[in-house]
Amino acid sequence: FFKVNAQDKVTLSGSLKDTANGEDLIGATVYIRELSTGVASNVYGFYSITIPSGSYTIVVSYMGYETITKEINLSKSLTLDFKLNASATQ
């Protein structure tokens, strides 16, 4: 009923940083809308998530920052770095 290689797995990884000062954003989330799953960045602002290949909506968010939404098509593993802007409303 389940084949291990029914879908190729790919890894999406990268770093999350503050646009203004380049500081790592610790605990920022990278969420895959279609899969209802996500990960938080580590103490170095690095994230990594392994998912089936396909087209996804990636939502990157961090408290006090503007959310980034990006459509991606993952056919192979990809490194995707994001720089987040502090939101105007505190």
Side-chain angles (χ1 to χ4, degrees), residues 15 19 27 35 40 46 49 53 56-57 72 74 78 82 84 88:
S15 64
T19 302
L35 298 177
F46 179 81
I49 185 168
S53 57
Y56 298 108
T57 305
I72 61 165
L74 279 179
L78 179 67
F82 291 97
L84 281 75

Side-chain angles (χ1 to χ4, degrees), residues 13-74:
S13 60
S15 64
L16 306 174
K17 295 185 182 297
D18 181 303
T19 302
N21 59 22
E23 282 185 17
D24 299 329
L25 297 178
I26 301 166
T29 56
V30 177
Y31 182 75
I32 315 295
R33 190 175 285 162
E34 290 77 2
L35 298 177
S36 299
T37 189
V39 292
S41 58
N42 67 12
V43 296
Y44 305 105
F46 179 81
Y47 74 93
S48 178
I49 185 168
T50 300
I51 55 176
S53 57
S55 295
Y56 298 108
T57 305
I58 309 300
V59 181
V60 182
S61 59
Y62 190 63
M63 190 171 294
Y65 286 78
E66 294 172 6
T67 298
I68 297 172
T69 303
K70 185 174 177 66
E71 306 284 335
I72 61 165
N73 189 349
L74 279 179

